[in-house]
Amino acid sequence: MALLSPGEEKTEHMLLRSLLVTLTAAPLIALAQYGAFAASAVKAAKALPLVVVLDAGDSPYNRSVMNAVKAEWKFNASVDFITVADLGMQPISADKIYLMKTRRTDPVKFEGSFMAVVKGWKQKKGDALQQTDNCFTTIGAEQELASILIDPKAIADGKAAAMVTVYVKHLQDYLKQVESGKVIDMATADRLYASRTRLVRETELVFSKDHLDKSLPGADAIKAVYTSPFQVGDAIAAVEAQDRTKTVSDAVITIGDHKNKHCFKRVFNAGTGELMYLSDDAAIFGKKEGFIEEDLKALERAR
């Protein structure tokens, strides 16, 4: 592991403090697929070993994340696997990076679960990690290098387990963009994703039926707005085939009751895992619980 000089340590510390202020002030809905913006922090993390934290006991998530990391993780040279229970019995290490599930709540109570790449730190005595449903709830925002909002229930049910591979690829793509200096803040991240949106029309976009709001009951309703190749079908098959000629829908609704839920809509390349479109809407009283006409118009008109 490369050692940092005192000056470099001070610079990195200042960058992390700045990131903490930014993340603390920003709501959850603005942080659903971002992370750190400091290239130096990402470069330092690249030299460290990765520890993948698995659920306690066997689960579709465990099988999916193990397969995905073994096949696709290139960011760190060394990879190890432990369980939530294992991590609870040992301190977090400052010289390791962790791929884990986290959960956090924003100031207006939108609660969400994430897959996150977390930089380890030196734990203080008595500073125990807390978790619920295999998601850690006390990870400081300043420790997260990259994260993506997920639906643990859909993954546990097996409906979205294959999407774990896409998320693993996306997290690495985000880290690569930060490391290269292409992403330095939320604005540059959004511009990067927006620049990819027009390319969705050069693929066949596969919508999962359960990612469509009830206002889009089927293919005919989509065809009236979106004129590029698409199908309403099995997005998972495209992901498992790692077909770069196809993009796939993804929709995650935050935890909460009908008064305060949010729905995040994403489109990923099925092969590369690149995030190519994102939007979110308040999903209250059973409305806007998936892709809506406005999303189709945005995809159709992107330049």
Side-chain angles (χ1 to χ4, degrees), residues 148 163 166-167 170 247-248 250 266-270 273-275:
I148 182 75
M163 288 300 293
V166 171
Y167 300 150
H170 161 74
T247 47
V248 294
D250 191 35
R266 291 91 64 104
V267 174
F268 294 93
N269 183 284
E274 291 176 325
L275 179 59

Side-chain angles (χ1 to χ4, degrees), residues 19 22 119 162 225 300:
L19 173 64
T22 301
K119 171 69 172 70
V225 181
E300 178 75 8

Side-chain angles (χ1 to χ4, degrees), residues 11-299:
T11 299
E12 183 175 2
H13 180 67
M14 291 175 65
L15 287 168
L16 289 174
R17 281 180 59 86
S18 176
L19 173 64
L20 173 60
V21 172
T22 301
L23 292 178
T24 303
L28 169 76
I29 56 173
L31 298 173
Q33 43 273 315
Y34 299 95
F37 299 117
S40 61
V42 172
K43 289 176 181 177
K46 194 171 186 177
L48 303 178
L50 176 75
V51 177
V52 181
V53 184
L54 305 173
D55 292 346
D58 188 27
S59 71
Y61 174 78
N62 284 0
R63 295 189 291 273
S64 297
V65 77
M66 288 180 71
N67 290 338
V69 169
K70 288 177 181 178
E72 306 295 343
W73 195 267
K74 314 297 182 187
F75 183 72
N76 304 91
S78 174
V79 177
D80 192 16
F81 297 88
I82 64 173
T83 67
V84 166
D86 293 334
L87 189 58
M89 296 173 65
Q90 58 184 259
I92 283 277
S93 175
D95 58 1
K96 293 180 181 179
I97 303 300
Y98 297 83
L99 178 62
M100 59 171 58
K101 290 189 290 186
T102 66
R103 185 172 293 177
R104 61 179 183 258
T105 304
D106 80 350
V108 286
K109 305 303 181 185
F110 295 111
E111 186 176 358
S113 299
F114 299 77
M115 272 187 73
V117 180
V118 174
K119 171 69 172 70
W121 68 95
K122 186 175 181 179
Q123 278 184 273
K124 297 179 181 178
K125 188 175 180 180
D127 183 20
L129 293 177
Q130 298 179 22
Q131 61 89 18
T132 181
D133 298 328
N134 296 296
C135 296
F136 290 92
T137 58
T138 53
I139 303 297
E142 74 277 12
Q143 302 303 138
E144 291 194 5
L145 297 172
S147 64
I148 182 75
L149 187 71
I150 63 172
D151 184 343
K153 186 176 185 301
I155 293 172
D157 292 344
K159 296 177 183 177
M163 288 300 293
V164 170
T165 297
V166 171
Y167 300 150
V168 162
K169 291 179 178 179
H170 161 74
L171 291 171
Q172 291 180 96
D173 178 65
Y174 180 85
L175 292 170
K176 181 177 73 175
Q177 304 305 327
V178 174
E179 182 184 16
S180 69
K182 292 181 180 178
V183 168
I184 59 174
D185 52 24
M186 289 186 193
T188 50
D190 286 339
R191 283 199 292 271
L192 172 67
Y193 300 143
S195 72
R196 296 172 175 173
T197 302
R198 63 181 179 81
L199 301 176
V200 173
R201 298 195 300 273
E202 297 178 9
T203 70
E204 181 180 38
L205 175 50
V206 185
F207 291 100
S208 290
K209 177 67 176 176
D210 57 356
H211 293 162
L212 299 175
D213 180 63
K214 59 188 177 184
S215 62
L216 292 175
D220 289 341
I222 296 173
K223 194 180 299 182
V225 181
Y226 187 73
T227 61
S228 297
F230 78 91
Q231 62 167 293
V232 178
D234 188 0
I236 299 307
V239 170
E240 291 176 339
Q242 299 193 49
D243 189 343
R244 294 187 176 209
T245 70
K246 294 184 179 180
T247 47
V248 294
S249 67
D250 191 35
V252 177
I253 299 176
T254 56
I255 303 165
D257 61 26
H258 64 278
K259 296 180 180 179
N260 65 359
K261 291 188 296 185
H262 238 73
C263 180
F264 290 83
K265 286 76 63 79
R266 291 91 64 104
V267 174
F268 294 93
N269 183 284
T272 67
E274 291 176 325
L275 179 59
M276 303 182 73
Y277 173 76
L278 71 159
S279 70
D280 66 272
D281 288 292
I284 58 176
F285 302 106
K287 296 180 179 180
K288 298 183 178 181
E289 295 185 334
F291 281 76
I292 58 177
E293 185 174 312
E294 283 73 13
D295 294 305
L296 301 183
K297 288 178 179 178
L299 290 165

